[in-house]
Amino acid sequence: MVLRYAGFKQPLFAMLTLFALVVMLASPAFATSTKVAVVDVQKLMSVSKAAVSIQKQIEDKRQSYQKEFAKHEDELRKTEKSLAEARNVMSADEFNKKREGFENSLLETRKLVQKRRRSLETAAADSLGQLRNKIVAIVANIADSGEYDLVINRQNIILVDKSMDITEQVLAELDKTVAKIDVKVEKD
């Protein structure tokens, strides 16, 4: 029996889960009739083809936005510089109007940055939610076909027999059925 250690973020929850498993497995009725599997959902959410595709799409969109924002920033910097240079040449009213225009442009750019950031975060969450749903469906199919009574997330387990871990089986099926999930970012 080979056991593996997994780090966990919630030690109390993990200890309680382990305790509950030990108690359940120690009971003769449960131990003889229950087939348990473990799956590393976090791993599936980061290394599957669909997950890598989502990460790449998000990064590509983020870089595209960065380039766009850099152009806006350059324009604003040039406008600010020309405004500062023309301050002594313009009348106070004319300068105030141009300064207001500049401040409005700055505000609009900030709003655009926030809007794009929110839409990208929403699109990423939606895509990752779709991936999680696909993972759950595949785990359910494997649990049914393998006659597993209980499937536990790997993040809640400290030690586990490798034979109970179905992560690689789920990953193979996931990569076979879902190679890509489109990240749909809201248009302006």
Side-chain angles (χ1 to χ4, degrees):
M1 173 189 256
V2 177
L3 300 175
R4 291 191 288 175
Y5 169 76
F8 47 88
K9 294 177 181 152
Q10 300 168 335
L12 180 60
F13 182 74
M15 293 302 283
L16 291 174
T17 303
L18 180 61
F19 178 73
L21 275 173
V22 168
V23 169
M24 288 188 309
L25 293 174
S27 74
F30 189 86
T32 59
S33 67
T34 303
K35 192 171 177 187
V36 179
V38 175
V39 65
D40 190 342
V41 175
Q42 187 175 359
K43 178 180 179 180
L44 297 171
M45 295 289 290
S46 61
V47 301
S48 67
K49 289 179 182 178
V52 170
S53 167
I54 290 169
Q55 292 164 9
K56 182 175 180 350
Q57 291 174 69
I58 291 169
E59 186 56 34
D60 289 349
K61 198 63 169 172
R62 185 175 287 124
Q63 287 178 359
S64 167
Y65 286 163
Q66 284 299 105
K67 287 178 185 175
E68 179 185 353
F69 298 148
K71 289 178 187 176
H72 284 289
E73 191 175 302
D74 286 343
E75 290 172 18
L76 287 170
R77 206 175 283 125
K78 287 176 187 174
T79 302
E80 183 180 34
K81 184 178 178 182
S82 66
L83 190 60
E85 290 171 354
R87 181 176 190 164
N88 297 331
V89 180
M90 292 183 209
S91 68
D93 284 344
E94 188 179 353
F95 176 77
N96 286 336
K97 285 180 184 176
K98 292 211 180 234
R99 186 184 50 113
E100 274 184 35
F102 170 75
E103 289 173 354
N104 286 337
S105 295
L106 184 62
L107 184 62
E108 289 301 314
T109 300
R110 285 181 182 158
K111 285 180 182 178
L112 178 64
V113 168
Q114 290 173 349
K115 181 180 179 185
R116 295 273 169 87
R117 184 175 292 136
R118 275 192 308 270
S119 66
L120 186 58
E121 288 171 357
T122 300
D126 290 346
S127 298
L128 291 171
Q130 290 176 34
L131 177 58
R132 183 172 293 281
N133 291 341
K134 302 273 187 193
I135 290 169
V136 168
I138 290 170
V139 168
N141 288 339
I142 291 173
D144 285 345
S145 65
E147 298 180 358
Y148 291 102
D149 299 307
L150 179 65
V151 179
I152 303 170
N153 189 344
R154 181 73 174 100
Q155 280 67 39
N156 298 328
I157 305 297
I158 298 171
L159 299 171
V160 67
D161 185 332
K162 284 185 179 182
S163 67
M164 297 172 75
D165 193 335
I166 61 169
T167 304
E168 293 305 318
Q169 185 181 357
V170 175
L171 180 61
E173 184 64 26
L174 182 62
D175 283 348
K176 186 169 72 173
T177 59
V178 185
K180 181 180 181 185
I181 293 178
D182 289 328
V183 176
K184 297 175 184 159
V185 179
E186 176 184 304
K187 301 287 182 194
D188 292 335

